[in-house]
Amino acid sequence: MTVIRTEPLTATAFAPFGDVIALKNTPDRIINQGLCGRHHDLARVETDAEGRTGISLFDAEPRALPYRLEMMERHPLGSQAFLPLSPTSFLVIVAADAGGRPATPRAFLTAPGQGINLLRNVWHGVLTPLSRPGLFAVIDRIGPGDNLEEYWFDTPYRVETGP
Ligand SMILES: NC(=O)N[C@@H](O)C(=O)O
Ligand code: NI
């Protein structure tokens, strides 16, 4: 089984796949009579003309490392963002496309509280919390058509904690 080692999630490393959603060092705007910092426009939310962007809640069972990666998926019609509703770290697995299937995956561990936005049609593992509660706000495309493509690996990968 091929081993994938986790990397810390950074905006630069994740840029080809999407956005890291986290507080900036300083807010873009101070609003609400000076009582709130707005950290503005942090993610590239995408949808097709037939769809709309919706907000859902996912209550997911936690998994553990080492993690057996058997399948990756992508959403050809829109982006998908995951915002943890608790200060927990979760596992984010992504891959470039290689002729209609995932290339070698990369696995990132979020810092507690970091969220992510996956760009349209980016291969990814399903939401993978590593502790309870696995409660996330999910912002993604709602609409007609098939917005889910799955790829099942002949041989699973084993995702382990990085060096
Ligand atoms: N299927 C679904 O709504 N969730 C997945 O897309 C996922 O990325 O977890
Ligand atoms: Ni998804």
Side-chain angles (χ1 to χ4, degrees), residues 58 73 75 80 82 124 126-127:
F58 281 23
E73 60 170 46
H75 308 296
Q80 187 173 51
F82 295 97
H124 59 281
V126 299
L127 176 61

Short mmCIF file of all heavy atoms in Angstrom, two decimals, residues 58 73 75 80 82 124 126-127, ligand 1:
data_model
loop_
_atom_site.label_atom_id
_atom_site.label_comp_id
_atom_site.label_asym_id
_atom_site.label_seq_id
_atom_site.Cartn_x
_atom_site.Cartn_y
_atom_site.Cartn_z
N PHE A 58 -22.86 19.44 8.14
CA PHE A 58 -22.46 18.03 8.10
C PHE A 58 -22.09 17.61 9.52
O PHE A 58 -21.34 18.31 10.22
CB PHE A 58 -21.23 17.83 7.22
CG PHE A 58 -21.49 17.81 5.74
CD1 PHE A 58 -22.60 18.40 5.19
CD2 PHE A 58 -20.58 17.18 4.88
CE1 PHE A 58 -22.82 18.39 3.81
CE2 PHE A 58 -20.80 17.14 3.51
CZ PHE A 58 -21.93 17.76 2.98
N GLU A 73 -13.30 12.00 -4.79
CA GLU A 73 -14.44 12.47 -5.57
C GLU A 73 -14.19 13.90 -6.04
O GLU A 73 -13.25 14.56 -5.61
CB GLU A 73 -15.70 12.44 -4.70
CG GLU A 73 -15.57 13.33 -3.47
CD GLU A 73 -16.86 13.50 -2.73
OE1 GLU A 73 -17.58 12.51 -2.50
OE2 GLU A 73 -17.16 14.65 -2.38
N HIS A 75 -16.54 17.55 -7.73
CA HIS A 75 -17.84 18.16 -8.03
C HIS A 75 -17.68 19.07 -9.24
O HIS A 75 -17.15 20.19 -9.12
CB HIS A 75 -18.36 18.94 -6.81
CG HIS A 75 -18.36 18.13 -5.56
ND1 HIS A 75 -19.15 17.02 -5.41
CD2 HIS A 75 -17.63 18.25 -4.42
CE1 HIS A 75 -18.91 16.49 -4.22
NE2 HIS A 75 -17.99 17.20 -3.61
N GLN A 80 -16.75 23.60 -3.05
CA GLN A 80 -17.28 23.05 -1.80
C GLN A 80 -16.37 23.49 -0.66
O GLN A 80 -15.16 23.23 -0.69
CB GLN A 80 -17.35 21.53 -1.86
CG GLN A 80 -18.06 20.89 -0.65
CD GLN A 80 -18.25 19.41 -0.83
OE1 GLN A 80 -17.32 18.68 -1.16
NE2 GLN A 80 -19.49 18.94 -0.64
N PHE A 82 -15.65 23.73 3.62
CA PHE A 82 -15.91 23.10 4.91
C PHE A 82 -15.37 24.00 6.01
O PHE A 82 -14.17 24.30 6.04
CB PHE A 82 -15.22 21.72 4.99
CG PHE A 82 -15.75 20.72 4.01
CD1 PHE A 82 -15.11 20.51 2.80
CD2 PHE A 82 -16.91 20.01 4.29
CE1 PHE A 82 -15.61 19.60 1.89
CE2 PHE A 82 -17.42 19.09 3.37
CZ PHE A 82 -16.76 18.89 2.17
N HIS A 124 -10.92 15.26 -4.27
CA HIS A 124 -10.72 15.34 -2.82
C HIS A 124 -11.28 14.11 -2.13
O HIS A 124 -12.18 13.43 -2.64
CB HIS A 124 -11.39 16.61 -2.26
CG HIS A 124 -12.85 16.71 -2.50
ND1 HIS A 124 -13.39 17.11 -3.72
CD2 HIS A 124 -13.92 16.43 -1.70
CE1 HIS A 124 -14.71 17.08 -3.64
NE2 HIS A 124 -15.06 16.66 -2.45
N VAL A 126 -13.53 12.64 1.00
CA VAL A 126 -14.72 13.16 1.67
C VAL A 126 -14.33 13.79 3.00
O VAL A 126 -13.22 13.60 3.51
CB VAL A 126 -15.78 12.05 1.90
CG1 VAL A 126 -16.25 11.47 0.59
CG2 VAL A 126 -15.26 10.99 2.84
N LEU A 127 -15.25 14.56 3.56
CA LEU A 127 -14.99 15.25 4.83
C LEU A 127 -14.48 14.25 5.86
O LEU A 127 -15.13 13.23 6.11
CB LEU A 127 -16.28 15.90 5.33
CG LEU A 127 -16.19 16.57 6.70
CD1 LEU A 127 -15.17 17.69 6.70
CD2 LEU A 127 -17.57 17.09 7.12
N1 LIG B 1 -21.34 14.05 -0.73
C1 LIG B 1 -21.24 15.14 0.01
O1 LIG B 1 -22.14 15.95 0.11
N2 LIG B 1 -20.05 15.33 0.67
C2 LIG B 1 -18.84 15.13 -0.04
O2 LIG B 1 -18.94 15.91 -1.23
C3 LIG B 1 -17.66 15.52 0.74
O3 LIG B 1 -16.73 16.12 0.14
O4 LIG B 1 -17.65 15.21 1.96
#
